[in-house]
Short mmCIF file of all heavy atoms in Angstrom, two decimals:
data_model
loop_
_atom_site.label_atom_id
_atom_site.label_comp_id
_atom_site.label_asym_id
_atom_site.label_seq_id
_atom_site.Cartn_x
_atom_site.Cartn_y
_atom_site.Cartn_z
N TYR Y 71 -4.52 69.81 -138.81
CA TYR Y 71 -4.22 71.20 -138.45
C TYR Y 71 -5.26 72.10 -139.20
O TYR Y 71 -5.57 71.92 -140.39
CB TYR Y 71 -2.73 71.55 -138.85
CG TYR Y 71 -2.24 72.83 -138.36
CD1 TYR Y 71 -1.65 72.92 -137.15
CD2 TYR Y 71 -2.43 74.00 -139.08
CE1 TYR Y 71 -1.11 74.15 -136.62
CE2 TYR Y 71 -1.93 75.25 -138.66
CZ TYR Y 71 -1.26 75.29 -137.43
OH TYR Y 71 -0.77 76.45 -136.93
N HIS Y 114 1.58 66.46 -133.01
CA HIS Y 114 2.29 67.57 -133.70
C HIS Y 114 3.75 67.49 -133.45
O HIS Y 114 4.40 66.39 -133.77
CB HIS Y 114 1.67 68.89 -133.24
CG HIS Y 114 1.86 70.03 -134.21
ND1 HIS Y 114 1.16 71.20 -134.17
CD2 HIS Y 114 2.74 70.15 -135.31
CE1 HIS Y 114 1.52 72.01 -135.13
NE2 HIS Y 114 2.44 71.41 -135.84
N ASN Y 166 -1.59 77.37 -128.18
CA ASN Y 166 -1.45 77.10 -129.61
C ASN Y 166 -0.12 76.41 -129.85
O ASN Y 166 0.70 76.93 -130.74
CB ASN Y 166 -1.60 78.34 -130.47
CG ASN Y 166 -3.02 78.77 -130.82
OD1 ASN Y 166 -3.83 77.83 -131.11
ND2 ASN Y 166 -3.35 79.99 -130.85
N VAL Y 167 0.24 75.42 -129.19
CA VAL Y 167 1.54 74.81 -129.18
C VAL Y 167 1.83 74.09 -130.55
O VAL Y 167 0.98 73.39 -131.09
CB VAL Y 167 1.76 73.88 -128.05
CG1 VAL Y 167 3.20 73.31 -128.07
CG2 VAL Y 167 1.41 74.53 -126.74
N ASN Y 168 3.04 74.37 -131.09
CA ASN Y 168 3.47 73.77 -132.35
C ASN Y 168 4.58 72.81 -132.09
O ASN Y 168 4.48 71.67 -132.51
CB ASN Y 168 3.89 74.98 -133.33
CG ASN Y 168 4.37 74.40 -134.59
OD1 ASN Y 168 5.32 73.63 -134.76
ND2 ASN Y 168 3.65 74.91 -135.71
N ASP Y 169 5.63 73.26 -131.40
CA ASP Y 169 6.76 72.34 -131.19
C ASP Y 169 7.30 72.57 -129.72
O ASP Y 169 6.95 73.43 -129.04
CB ASP Y 169 7.86 72.66 -132.25
CG ASP Y 169 8.84 71.50 -132.30
OD1 ASP Y 169 8.52 70.45 -131.89
OD2 ASP Y 169 9.92 71.70 -132.92
N ALA Y 180 8.36 75.56 -125.27
CA ALA Y 180 7.31 75.27 -126.30
C ALA Y 180 7.08 76.52 -127.05
O ALA Y 180 7.14 77.65 -126.55
CB ALA Y 180 6.07 74.70 -125.70
N THR Y 181 6.76 76.37 -128.41
CA THR Y 181 6.31 77.49 -129.25
C THR Y 181 4.82 77.52 -129.39
O THR Y 181 4.28 76.48 -129.59
CB THR Y 181 7.01 77.42 -130.56
OG1 THR Y 181 6.67 76.23 -131.20
CG2 THR Y 181 8.53 77.59 -130.50
N ASN Y 182 4.23 78.74 -129.25
CA ASN Y 182 2.90 78.96 -129.66
C ASN Y 182 2.94 79.61 -131.04
O ASN Y 182 3.55 80.63 -131.18
CB ASN Y 182 2.15 79.88 -128.71
CG ASN Y 182 1.74 79.14 -127.43
OD1 ASN Y 182 1.14 78.15 -127.37
ND2 ASN Y 182 2.24 79.70 -126.23
N ASP Y 183 2.30 78.98 -132.05
CA ASP Y 183 2.48 79.45 -133.39
C ASP Y 183 1.39 80.47 -133.83
O ASP Y 183 1.47 81.15 -134.85
CB ASP Y 183 2.48 78.31 -134.45
CG ASP Y 183 1.16 77.47 -134.39
OD1 ASP Y 183 0.15 77.98 -133.86
OD2 ASP Y 183 1.26 76.33 -134.94
N HIS Y 184 0.38 80.71 -132.94
CA HIS Y 184 -0.59 81.81 -133.25
C HIS Y 184 -0.93 82.40 -131.84
O HIS Y 184 -0.89 81.83 -130.83
CB HIS Y 184 -1.85 81.26 -133.82
CG HIS Y 184 -1.73 80.94 -135.40
ND1 HIS Y 184 -1.21 79.72 -135.76
CD2 HIS Y 184 -2.01 81.63 -136.49
CE1 HIS Y 184 -1.23 79.72 -137.12
NE2 HIS Y 184 -1.74 80.87 -137.53
N TYR Y 185 -1.40 83.71 -132.00
CA TYR Y 185 -1.89 84.43 -130.72
C TYR Y 185 -3.30 84.07 -130.64
O TYR Y 185 -3.82 83.84 -129.49
CB TYR Y 185 -1.67 85.90 -130.97
CG TYR Y 185 -2.16 86.70 -129.80
CD1 TYR Y 185 -1.40 86.94 -128.64
CD2 TYR Y 185 -3.46 87.31 -129.88
CE1 TYR Y 185 -1.88 87.67 -127.61
CE2 TYR Y 185 -3.92 88.08 -128.87
CZ TYR Y 185 -3.14 88.29 -127.74
OH TYR Y 185 -3.60 89.01 -126.70
N GLU Y 195 -4.34 87.31 -138.51
CA GLU Y 195 -3.03 87.38 -137.91
C GLU Y 195 -1.91 87.15 -138.87
O GLU Y 195 -0.94 87.90 -138.89
CB GLU Y 195 -2.95 86.32 -136.77
CG GLU Y 195 -1.71 86.33 -135.92
CD GLU Y 195 -1.80 85.29 -134.84
OE1 GLU Y 195 -2.87 84.79 -134.52
OE2 GLU Y 195 -0.72 85.01 -134.26
N LEU Y 200 1.11 90.07 -137.91
CA LEU Y 200 1.22 90.40 -136.49
C LEU Y 200 2.37 89.47 -135.89
O LEU Y 200 2.42 88.34 -136.16
CB LEU Y 200 -0.09 90.10 -135.74
CG LEU Y 200 -1.30 90.86 -136.22
CD1 LEU Y 200 -2.49 90.55 -135.36
CD2 LEU Y 200 -1.08 92.37 -136.26
N LYS Y 201 3.19 90.18 -135.08
CA LYS Y 201 4.31 89.53 -134.44
C LYS Y 201 3.96 89.26 -132.91
O LYS Y 201 4.60 89.82 -132.07
CB LYS Y 201 5.61 90.27 -134.72
CG LYS Y 201 5.89 90.48 -136.06
CD LYS Y 201 7.10 91.38 -136.30
CE LYS Y 201 8.44 90.72 -135.89
NZ LYS Y 201 9.59 91.55 -136.23
N TRP Y 202 2.99 88.34 -132.75
CA TRP Y 202 2.50 88.22 -131.34
C TRP Y 202 2.67 86.74 -130.83
O TRP Y 202 2.22 86.46 -129.74
CB TRP Y 202 1.01 88.53 -131.36
CG TRP Y 202 0.70 89.98 -131.57
CD1 TRP Y 202 1.56 91.01 -131.69
CD2 TRP Y 202 -0.64 90.56 -131.58
NE1 TRP Y 202 0.88 92.16 -131.88
CE2 TRP Y 202 -0.46 91.97 -131.85
CE3 TRP Y 202 -1.94 90.08 -131.54
CZ2 TRP Y 202 -1.52 92.80 -131.98
CZ3 TRP Y 202 -3.04 90.94 -131.63
CH2 TRP Y 202 -2.81 92.31 -131.86
N THR Y 203 3.42 85.95 -131.60
CA THR Y 203 3.65 84.56 -131.05
C THR Y 203 4.86 84.44 -130.16
O THR Y 203 5.70 85.40 -130.23
CB THR Y 203 3.65 83.52 -132.18
OG1 THR Y 203 4.88 83.78 -132.95
CG2 THR Y 203 2.42 83.69 -133.09
N ASN Y 204 4.98 83.34 -129.44
CA ASN Y 204 5.92 83.35 -128.38
C ASN Y 204 6.64 81.96 -128.02
O ASN Y 204 6.20 80.98 -128.72
CB ASN Y 204 5.38 83.94 -127.10
CG ASN Y 204 4.31 83.09 -126.60
OD1 ASN Y 204 3.92 82.07 -127.09
ND2 ASN Y 204 3.76 83.46 -125.44
N VAL Y 205 7.53 82.01 -127.15
CA VAL Y 205 8.14 80.77 -126.59
C VAL Y 205 7.78 80.78 -125.10
O VAL Y 205 7.97 81.83 -124.44
CB VAL Y 205 9.66 80.74 -126.79
CG1 VAL Y 205 10.24 79.46 -126.18
CG2 VAL Y 205 9.94 80.76 -128.31
N VAL Y 206 7.38 79.63 -124.58
CA VAL Y 206 7.05 79.51 -123.18
C VAL Y 206 7.95 78.41 -122.53
O VAL Y 206 8.23 77.43 -123.16
CB VAL Y 206 5.57 79.01 -122.99
CG1 VAL Y 206 5.24 78.76 -121.58
CG2 VAL Y 206 4.63 80.17 -123.59
N ALA Y 217 10.21 84.41 -124.60
CA ALA Y 217 10.58 85.11 -125.79
C ALA Y 217 9.30 85.40 -126.62
O ALA Y 217 8.40 84.58 -126.56
CB ALA Y 217 11.55 84.33 -126.70
N THR Y 218 9.26 86.54 -127.28
CA THR Y 218 8.02 86.89 -128.08
C THR Y 218 8.46 87.75 -129.23
O THR Y 218 9.70 87.97 -129.43
CB THR Y 218 7.03 87.56 -127.22
OG1 THR Y 218 5.81 87.72 -127.93
CG2 THR Y 218 7.51 89.00 -126.74
N GLY Y 219 7.48 88.13 -130.03
CA GLY Y 219 7.82 88.97 -131.25
C GLY Y 219 8.00 88.24 -132.49
O GLY Y 219 8.67 88.71 -133.38
N PHE Y 220 7.47 86.99 -132.61
CA PHE Y 220 7.58 86.22 -133.84
C PHE Y 220 6.31 86.24 -134.60
O PHE Y 220 5.21 86.31 -134.00
CB PHE Y 220 7.86 84.74 -133.44
CG PHE Y 220 9.04 84.49 -132.49
CD1 PHE Y 220 8.73 84.23 -131.20
CD2 PHE Y 220 10.27 84.58 -132.96
CE1 PHE Y 220 9.81 83.99 -130.33
CE2 PHE Y 220 11.30 84.39 -132.11
CZ PHE Y 220 11.07 84.11 -130.75
N HIS Y 221 6.39 86.21 -135.93
CA HIS Y 221 5.25 86.17 -136.82
C HIS Y 221 4.52 84.86 -136.55
O HIS Y 221 3.25 84.74 -136.41
CB HIS Y 221 5.68 86.21 -138.29
CG HIS Y 221 6.14 87.57 -138.74
ND1 HIS Y 221 5.29 88.67 -138.97
CD2 HIS Y 221 7.38 88.01 -139.07
CE1 HIS Y 221 5.98 89.67 -139.35
NE2 HIS Y 221 7.28 89.32 -139.46
N PHE Y 222 5.31 83.72 -136.52
CA PHE Y 222 4.78 82.42 -136.55
C PHE Y 222 5.77 81.51 -135.98
O PHE Y 222 6.49 80.80 -136.68
CB PHE Y 222 4.36 81.99 -138.03
CG PHE Y 222 3.52 80.74 -138.21
CD1 PHE Y 222 2.40 80.77 -138.97
CD2 PHE Y 222 3.80 79.54 -137.61
CE1 PHE Y 222 1.61 79.68 -139.21
CE2 PHE Y 222 3.00 78.46 -137.74
CZ PHE Y 222 1.93 78.44 -138.60
N ALA Y 223 5.85 81.49 -134.60
CA ALA Y 223 6.91 80.67 -133.97
C ALA Y 223 6.59 79.18 -134.20
O ALA Y 223 5.45 78.78 -134.17
CB ALA Y 223 6.88 80.90 -132.43
N ASN Y 224 7.68 78.46 -134.59
CA ASN Y 224 7.42 77.04 -135.11
C ASN Y 224 8.43 76.15 -134.53
O ASN Y 224 8.33 75.88 -133.26
CB ASN Y 224 7.50 77.11 -136.61
CG ASN Y 224 6.83 75.84 -137.26
OD1 ASN Y 224 7.37 74.71 -136.98
ND2 ASN Y 224 5.79 76.08 -138.05
N GLY Y 225 9.33 75.60 -135.20
CA GLY Y 225 10.23 74.62 -134.76
C GLY Y 225 11.19 75.15 -133.61
O GLY Y 225 11.54 76.33 -133.67
N ILE Y 226 11.53 74.28 -132.73
CA ILE Y 226 12.44 74.71 -131.64
C ILE Y 226 13.38 73.53 -131.32
O ILE Y 226 13.03 72.39 -131.40
CB ILE Y 226 11.69 75.18 -130.36
CG1 ILE Y 226 12.56 75.71 -129.36
CG2 ILE Y 226 10.80 74.02 -129.83
CD1 ILE Y 226 11.86 76.49 -128.17
N VAL Y 237 15.02 78.94 -132.37
CA VAL Y 237 13.59 79.04 -132.57
C VAL Y 237 13.40 79.51 -134.01
O VAL Y 237 13.93 80.57 -134.48
CB VAL Y 237 12.99 80.12 -131.60
CG1 VAL Y 237 11.49 80.26 -131.76
CG2 VAL Y 237 13.28 79.70 -130.11
N VAL Y 238 12.46 78.82 -134.65
CA VAL Y 238 12.11 79.18 -136.06
C VAL Y 238 10.83 80.13 -136.03
O VAL Y 238 9.93 79.93 -135.30
CB VAL Y 238 11.70 77.93 -136.81
CG1 VAL Y 238 11.07 78.31 -138.19
CG2 VAL Y 238 12.91 77.01 -137.06
N ASP Y 239 11.01 81.21 -136.85
CA ASP Y 239 9.91 82.09 -137.17
C ASP Y 239 9.61 81.77 -138.63
O ASP Y 239 10.30 82.26 -139.54
CB ASP Y 239 10.20 83.49 -136.94
CG ASP Y 239 9.06 84.42 -137.29
OD1 ASP Y 239 7.99 83.96 -137.86
OD2 ASP Y 239 9.05 85.58 -136.80
N ILE Y 240 8.63 80.88 -138.92
CA ILE Y 240 8.46 80.30 -140.30
C ILE Y 240 8.16 81.34 -141.30
O ILE Y 240 8.65 81.44 -142.45
CB ILE Y 240 7.42 79.12 -140.22
CG1 ILE Y 240 7.47 78.45 -141.61
CG2 ILE Y 240 6.09 79.54 -139.78
CD1 ILE Y 240 6.70 77.12 -141.54
N THR Y 241 7.13 82.27 -140.95
CA THR Y 241 6.87 83.29 -142.00
C THR Y 241 7.73 84.53 -141.80
O THR Y 241 7.65 85.41 -142.70
CB THR Y 241 5.28 83.62 -141.90
OG1 THR Y 241 4.98 84.02 -140.53
CG2 THR Y 241 4.44 82.53 -142.33
N GLY Y 242 8.52 84.53 -140.89
CA GLY Y 242 9.58 85.56 -140.74
C GLY Y 242 10.81 85.10 -141.49
O GLY Y 242 11.76 85.92 -141.68
N THR Y 244 13.13 82.99 -140.61
CA THR Y 244 14.30 83.18 -139.74
C THR Y 244 14.48 81.93 -138.78
O THR Y 244 13.51 81.33 -138.38
CB THR Y 244 14.28 84.45 -138.91
OG1 THR Y 244 13.19 84.41 -138.01
CG2 THR Y 244 14.26 85.69 -139.73
N ASN Y 246 16.07 82.00 -135.02
CA ASN Y 246 16.47 82.96 -133.94
C ASN Y 246 17.31 82.21 -132.85
O ASN Y 246 16.78 81.19 -132.32
CB ASN Y 246 15.25 83.62 -133.31
CG ASN Y 246 14.40 84.29 -134.36
OD1 ASN Y 246 14.53 85.59 -134.57
ND2 ASN Y 246 13.60 83.60 -135.06
N ILE Y 268 11.37 77.79 -143.12
CA ILE Y 268 11.88 76.77 -142.28
C ILE Y 268 10.73 76.21 -141.40
O ILE Y 268 9.99 77.02 -140.80
CB ILE Y 268 13.08 77.27 -141.49
CG1 ILE Y 268 14.16 77.79 -142.41
CG2 ILE Y 268 13.61 76.24 -140.57
CD1 ILE Y 268 14.84 76.81 -143.19
N ASP Y 269 10.79 74.90 -141.16
CA ASP Y 269 9.82 74.30 -140.23
C ASP Y 269 10.52 73.68 -138.96
O ASP Y 269 11.12 74.52 -138.24
CB ASP Y 269 9.01 73.20 -140.98
CG ASP Y 269 7.63 72.97 -140.33
OD1 ASP Y 269 7.58 72.85 -139.06
OD2 ASP Y 269 6.66 72.87 -141.02
N ASN Y 270 10.52 72.44 -138.83
CA ASN Y 270 11.17 71.89 -137.63
C ASN Y 270 12.66 71.74 -137.74
O ASN Y 270 13.26 71.75 -138.87
CB ASN Y 270 10.60 70.43 -137.37
CG ASN Y 270 9.18 70.55 -136.93
OD1 ASN Y 270 8.70 71.35 -136.10
ND2 ASN Y 270 8.37 69.59 -137.47
#
Side-chain angles (χ1 to χ4, degrees):
Y71 190 89
H114 200 164
N166 272 322
V167 183
N168 184 297
D169 198 16
T181 57
N182 285 306
D183 61 19
H184 285 81
Y185 179 82
E195 183 180 343
L200 303 181
K201 300 174 70 173
W202 292 357
T203 68
N204 66 359
V205 177
V206 173
T218 190
F220 308 102
H221 290 286
F222 192 130
N224 198 296
I226 187 169
V237 180
V238 169
D239 184 344
I240 188 168
T241 52
T244 61
N246 302 263
I268 303 292
D269 203 318
N270 292 319

